[in-house]
Every structure is written in structure tokens, then in C-alpha cells.
């Protein structure tokens, strides 16, 4: 068993917060642990809970398209996980105590993978990784922040937000996402 399998097994047996009672599967990660990029989402939804994989519902399909725009594939170039590993009933926003209980697993994933780039996908991931930030994601998406183990972190819009804001017009969220992912690719190619 490698180190990530050991943490995954810990999550499978975890009862540290009440979410274990309602989960079908834990959702630990997907993708390549050797990748330079880690993406941290929010929490598993219904499809993720059923399949045990992150970002496999509508948001996930859009995320895949965004990644593919710059030639990233979820099997090769990225390691995807979430701030919490179990689905909150009715998809409630992860509670502080749920995030706190799950935090050690996320920290261990980051420590083992030591990604060069961490994409903070949506406000929940931003609040976990940049706790002192007071600005909304519309202000800080696309900007680089210093992350753990000398990584660079960038907040990006959550695809669920883009599904609610589908316009492709210049300066709208989808257009901004396109600029942000191109900047990620530029830095990825340099490191
Ligand atoms: N949204 C997330 O933030 N994570 C998932 O795994 C799926 C949807």
C-alpha cells in the first residue's frame, strides 16, 4: 500500500464528523498523483457519492472541457480532490466542523503530492487554503498566492457557478475562466 492508499483507507473508516452516516462512498481523489497540478474542489455531490470519484456530474463535465481547452486531461495532468471527502446531505455547504474534521486528510494529500500548482476551485476551497482572505472569488480568481511546499495557488471559479452564468461574452465569468486557465498553462509549461 502506498502512502495515499493508507490515507484513503483512513477516510473509508473515518467517523470524525456525522457525514459518515449518510455517505455511500468516500470521494478521495482522481487523477495522477505525480502531476504538477492539484485541484481542490468543494465537496462531493450526488453522482460523486454514488461513484466514489470527484467531479463526475455536470460540473465535472464542464471542468473536463475547461481543462481540455489547454490540453490537460484529468487522467494525466492533474490530481483532483475536495476539501471534504463525504457528501453533505442535500449538498449543504461544508460546515466549519466538517472541514476541520477532514482537514488532516487534505493536508496529507498535499504533503505527499507536493503539487507545484494548486487550483482552488470555488469559494469553499479558497476559504480553506487562504483563511485570512476577505475578498470574494470574483475579485481574486486568476491571481497567484503562495501555497504550501513552495507551490503557487490560484483561485478559479467553480464550474457550478459557470453553469449558472453561461454567457461566453467578453469579461463574463466563462471568459474570465478561459483567461485564468491559459495563465495556469503558461506557468505549468515553465515549471
Ligand atoms: N463539486 C465539487 O466541488 N466537487 C466534486 O467532487 C463535485 C462537484
Amino acid at each position: 500500500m502506498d502512502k495515499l492508499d493508507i490515507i484513503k483507507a483512513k477516510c473509508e473508516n473515518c467517523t470524525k464528523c456525522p457525514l459518515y452516516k449518510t455517505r455511500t462512498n468516500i470521494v478521495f481523489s482522481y487523477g495522477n498523483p505525480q502531476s504538477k497540478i492539484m485541484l481542490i474542489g468543494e465537496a462531493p455531490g450526488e453522482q460523486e457519492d454514488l461513484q466514489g470519484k470527484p467531479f463526475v456530474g455536470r460540473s465535472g463535465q464542464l471542468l473536463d472541457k475547461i481543462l481540455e481547452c489547454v490540453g490537460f486531461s484529468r487522467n494525466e495532468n492533474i490530481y483532483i480532490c475536495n476539501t471534504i471527502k463525504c457528501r453533505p446531505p442535500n449538498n449543504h455547504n461544508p460546515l466549519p466542523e466538517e472541514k476541520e474534521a477532514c482537514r488532516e486528510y487534505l493536508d496529507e494529500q498535499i504533503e505527499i503530492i507536493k503539487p507545484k500548482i494548486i487550483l482552488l476551485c470555488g469559494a469553499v476551497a479558497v476559504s480553506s487554503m487562504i483563511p485570512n482572505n476577505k475578498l470574494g472569488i470574483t475579485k481574486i480568481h486568476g491571481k497567484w498566492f503562495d501555497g504550501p511546499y513552495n507551490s503557487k495557488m490560484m483561485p478559479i471559479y467553480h464550474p457550478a457557478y459557470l453553469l449558472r452564468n453561461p454567457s461566453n461574452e467578453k469579461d463574463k465569468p466563462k471568459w474570465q475562466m478561459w483567461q485564468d486557465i491559459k495563465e495556469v498553462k503558461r506557468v505549468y509549461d515553465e515549471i
Side-chain angles (χ1 to χ4, degrees):
M1 248 199 193
D2 75 10
K3 285 183 185 168
L4 287 166
D5 287 334
I6 293 170
I7 303 163
K8 186 173 178 194
K10 274 204 268 178
C11 293
E12 278 160 352
N13 293 309
C14 183
T15 55
K16 283 169 67 187
C17 85
L19 296 183
Y20 80 92
K21 294 182 195 157
T22 46
R23 72 180 173 225
T24 312
N25 290 294
I26 64 145
V27 176
F28 187 69
S29 69
Y30 190 91
N32 177 3
Q34 323 293 345
S35 164
K36 291 191 267 189
I37 310 187
M38 174 186 261
L39 179 139
I40 306 176
E42 196 175 299
E46 184 183 18
Q47 280 308 313
E48 290 78 18
D49 172 70
L50 290 172
Q51 297 185 38
K53 291 184 198 147
F55 283 101
V56 288
R58 277 185 74 218
S59 289
Q61 286 161 16
L62 179 54
L63 177 65
D64 285 347
K65 277 195 198 155
I66 293 164
L67 296 172
E68 281 161 18
C69 278
V70 289
F72 292 150
S73 101
R74 79 150 69 196
N75 291 317
E76 260 177 63
N77 310 96
I78 193 151
Y79 180 88
I80 302 177
C81 60
N82 282 307
T83 58
I84 62 172
K85 312 302 184 218
C86 297
R87 181 190 182 201
N90 303 318
N91 300 335
H92 69 232
N93 251 351
L95 301 171
E97 56 271 30
E98 292 161 357
K99 284 165 75 182
E100 183 52 37
C102 224
R103 181 64 199 235
E104 66 170 286
Y105 307 129
L106 178 62
D107 284 340
E108 287 177 309
Q109 284 174 302
I110 296 172
E111 188 188 347
I112 293 166
I113 289 169
K114 293 197 174 57
K116 302 267 189 269
I117 295 172
I118 302 180
L119 299 180
L120 306 174
C121 188
V124 173
V126 171
S127 69
S128 285
M129 298 303 293
I130 320 177
N132 297 327
N133 167 61
K134 301 262 183 305
L135 298 171
I137 190 121
T138 55
K139 297 269 186 313
I140 59 168
H141 73 88
K143 298 194 187 335
W144 290 110
F145 293 78
D146 292 335
Y149 307 102
N150 284 326
S151 61
K152 288 159 83 73
M153 298 192 294
M154 181 192 282
I156 56 170
Y157 288 124
H158 195 286
Y161 178 74
L162 301 177
L163 287 171
R164 294 194 298 273
N165 292 276
S167 167
N168 288 319
E169 273 171 49
K170 186 169 183 291
D171 297 330
K172 297 281 191 205
K174 265 189 157 174
W175 182 88
Q176 294 174 337
M177 181 68 152
W178 170 229
Q179 311 309 308
D180 295 349
I181 201 71
K182 282 193 291 188
E183 167 63 7
V184 173
K185 175 73 160 80
R186 186 188 70 74
V187 170
Y188 177 93
D189 286 340
E190 274 179 2
I191 54 181

